[in-house]
Amino acid sequence: MLAFLLVAAVSAGTTAALTYREARNAVLQTAQDTAVTSFRDQVQLTAFALPMRGGADLEAVLRDIARKGKPHPWVVFAEYGSVRASSGENPVSTVITPELRRAARANPHGSFERVVKDGVPYLTIAMPMVFKTGPYSLVPSGLVLYAVMRMTDEQLNVDALLTAARDGALPGLAIALIPGLIAARSVLRPVRELREAARSMGSGRLDTRIPVRGSDELADLARTFNESAAQLEHSVRELRDAEARARRFASDVSHELRTPLAGMLAVTEVLDEDADHLDADTARAVRLVSAETGKLAVLVEDLMEISRFDARAAELNADEVEVAEAIRKTLHHRHWTDGRLRTELPDGIRARLDPRRFDVVIANLVGNALRHGGAPVTVSLSTRTGRAGGSVLITEVADAGPGIEPGVLPHIFDRFYKADAARTRSAGSGLGLAITLENVKLHGGTIHAGNRPGGGAVFTVEIPLHAEGAGG
């Protein structure tokens, strides 16, 4: 729009300037030509007796020439040696310039000049008197006549032309604004619709479409956008269906395996009790079956837990708990009370937590540190003021191991992710940290993984102390 207005303004200004210049030149040229021709004719028709001594006779001749001035009255001046005379009150003019006098002496055919004196425009004409000694030979007589004519009327006409040019350009520019606005609106409306449609799709409404109008490039763009949106909607729908089938499959398999696994676990417990009475090879096989069955049972429980999170069926049963005591119970129940563990658990910190899910969070983090980090593992508890002004519970689990590789950190909470490909047969299912993340989110908190400056990995859990609205 600005570019259009700039072009329109330049065009209107250029047109007005050119029109003004041509009209001005025409007005001034007409007056100038009339005055110069008339003055030359009057001078040629007038005879002077030389040498000239001035006096009333010379002034009378000058007044006679002045009365015949065209297109406006003149004031005529005569200069001959030291003689000065005029048709007016002053014998010498202040308007005639030295440049015009030099031009008159150099050019026997006369010269003229436009001069502005005290804001008043004048036309000054110099016409030397000459003797004609041959067809092409002229000899200066020394007498020069000057005509001074006011050009006030021409200046008024020029000013009127300037005003007309300006007043004509401004309405033209205003009129040019109307088609500019119409053109801009015709372009901007589809662009706005495209912006709103893209924003709508970004918010998840993949069925958004743009109305197609006309057959120009913007219509092609709208048509292409609609086709791309339809393909994207189809692809997303297929992905969601595939994801839903995968979740349903995992949930169904977990439920179907749970019952036979319960029977297998009961049988393996009996076999474990009698393993000492069996021969060495049979006892080894029994213990291997028992261990693998236990791993399978843990995997099934983790899959069922993940499926509950995916189905948004997980519930938070929050209660006011003593956090330090809850952590101590978690460590005691798993027999993590030896020298491999250090605790910094100040008493008196109470928070609204789901005891079972908080137990899973602490157990997964401490167990992960003991298996893959290095002793001693430190569990610390503290509080601080959050960004929103409320109090936040800070739980840190740090180990003294080699830490987490930088390339692993972005994927540490991914499902089934294991940092070391050689540990694919380890006791972990690869779902522990993913379940931990979901439980922390259910409490309305966050969890971060990183490395300490002195070495070792550290997991930091931040949960609001009073999270009544968590888990919604």
Side-chain angles (χ1 to χ4, degrees):
M1 190 64 192
L2 291 175
F4 179 84
L5 288 178
L6 180 61
V7 171
V10 171
S11 301
T14 302
T15 302
L18 292 175
T19 303
Y20 165 74
R21 188 186 68 177
E22 294 301 322
R24 174 180 178 274
N25 290 340
V27 169
L28 296 178
Q29 190 70 34
T30 300
Q32 176 181 291
D33 292 346
T34 301
V36 171
T37 302
S38 177
F39 187 57
R40 180 182 291 114
D41 294 341
Q42 293 299 321
V43 171
Q44 290 176 355
L45 294 175
T46 303
F48 294 90
L50 299 176
M52 184 178 293
R53 293 181 176 83
D57 294 338
L58 177 58
E59 293 177 355
V61 173
L62 296 179
R63 283 194 293 270
D64 183 62
I65 297 175
R67 282 194 297 270
K68 300 175 182 179
K70 295 179 182 179
H72 307 297
W74 301 331
V75 177
V76 181
F77 297 86
E79 294 183 359
Y80 180 76
S82 61
V83 177
R84 300 290 185 269
S86 74
S87 63
E89 297 178 356
N90 298 320
V92 179
S93 173
T94 59
V95 178
I96 300 173
T97 63
E99 291 80 7
L100 183 61
R101 290 188 173 92
R102 286 194 294 270
R105 289 192 293 270
N107 185 4
H109 298 286
S111 300
F112 62 89
E113 184 180 29
R114 286 200 293 266
V115 180
V116 177
K117 180 71 173 180
D118 297 331
V120 180
Y122 295 92
L123 175 65
T124 57
I125 308 170
M127 196 65 62
M129 297 294 293
V130 296
F131 294 110
K132 189 173 183 181
T133 59
Y136 304 103
S137 177
L138 300 175
V139 178
S141 66
L143 172 62
V144 181
L145 299 182
Y146 297 92
V148 178
M149 182 183 73
R150 282 176 175 261
M151 302 188 72
T152 308
D153 293 344
E154 284 76 13
Q155 185 63 43
L156 293 175
N157 292 334
V158 169
D159 293 341
L161 288 173
L162 178 61
T163 302
R166 181 192 61 201
D167 294 344
L170 292 179
L173 184 61
I175 293 174
L177 182 62
I178 297 175
L181 289 173
I182 296 174
R185 185 174 181 272
S186 65
V187 174
L188 291 178
R189 182 177 61 185
V191 174
R192 291 193 187 99
E193 291 176 350
L194 180 62
R195 179 191 63 191
E196 295 300 327
R199 184 178 298 168
S200 177
M201 289 190 64
S203 63
R205 294 190 290 273
L206 300 180
D207 58 344
T208 303
R209 300 294 184 270
I210 302 175
V212 180
R213 304 182 185 90
S215 58
D216 56 4
E217 290 82 358
L218 290 173
D220 293 339
L221 177 61
R223 195 175 295 109
T224 303
F225 178 88
N226 291 339
E227 293 172 356
S228 302
Q231 294 177 0
L232 179 62
E233 183 181 16
H234 178 70
S235 300
V236 171
R237 187 184 300 112
E238 289 185 343
L239 289 174
R240 288 174 177 172
D241 292 342
E243 184 180 7
R245 288 194 297 270
R247 290 175 178 175
R248 188 165 56 252
F249 175 78
S251 178
D252 293 343
V253 168
S254 300
H255 281 85
E256 293 297 327
L257 288 176
R258 194 174 189 182
T259 300
L261 273 175
M264 292 173 64
L265 286 173
V267 172
T268 55
E269 287 179 2
V270 174
L271 291 176
D272 280 341
E273 293 177 357
D274 296 336
D276 294 336
H277 304 291
L278 301 175
D279 60 87
D281 292 337
T282 304
R284 191 180 305 108
V286 166
R287 292 189 177 94
L288 178 62
V289 169
S290 178
E292 294 299 326
T293 303
K295 292 179 182 179
L296 184 59
V298 172
L299 176 61
V300 169
E301 289 297 328
D302 288 346
L303 286 173
M304 291 185 66
E305 185 72 3
I306 285 291
S307 66
R308 280 191 288 268
F309 284 118
D310 290 342
R312 300 183 183 276
E315 296 181 353
L316 189 72
N317 299 313
D319 194 8
E320 192 84 14
V321 300
E322 173 73 28
V323 183
E325 184 62 26
I327 295 176
R328 292 190 190 98
K329 287 181 180 179
T330 298
L331 302 179
H332 178 74
H333 290 163
R334 289 161 179 83
H335 306 289
W336 292 333
T337 55
D338 53 14
R340 296 181 302 165
L341 217 65
R342 296 176 181 175
T343 59
E344 299 174 3
L345 307 174
D347 294 324
I349 301 177
R350 303 186 66 82
R352 288 192 61 82
L353 303 171
D354 184 326
R356 183 184 71 83
R357 296 190 180 279
F358 188 68
D359 174 80
V360 172
V361 170
I362 300 300
N364 281 342
L365 293 179
V366 174
N368 193 69
L370 290 173
R371 283 193 301 271
H372 308 301
V377 173
T378 303
V379 182
S380 60
L381 189 65
S382 62
T383 61
R384 67 172 176 82
T385 303
R387 295 179 180 177
S391 297
V392 178
L393 176 69
I394 308 295
T395 307
E396 286 189 354
V397 177
D399 62 58
I404 305 172
E405 293 292 333
V408 175
L409 279 174
H411 310 285
I412 197 71
F413 296 104
D414 292 351
R415 298 176 182 182
F416 297 107
Y417 182 82
K418 294 184 179 182
D420 187 359
R423 293 194 296 105
T424 53
R425 291 292 300 159
S426 63
S429 64
L431 292 174
L433 290 179
I435 293 174
T436 300
L437 174 64
E438 296 295 339
N439 279 315
V440 172
K441 286 183 177 179
L442 204 61
H443 282 86
T446 58
I447 182 171
H448 306 282
N451 293 311
R452 295 191 299 178
V458 57
F459 288 82
T460 305
V461 178
E462 300 182 4
I463 298 176
L465 278 177
H466 304 284
E468 290 83 352

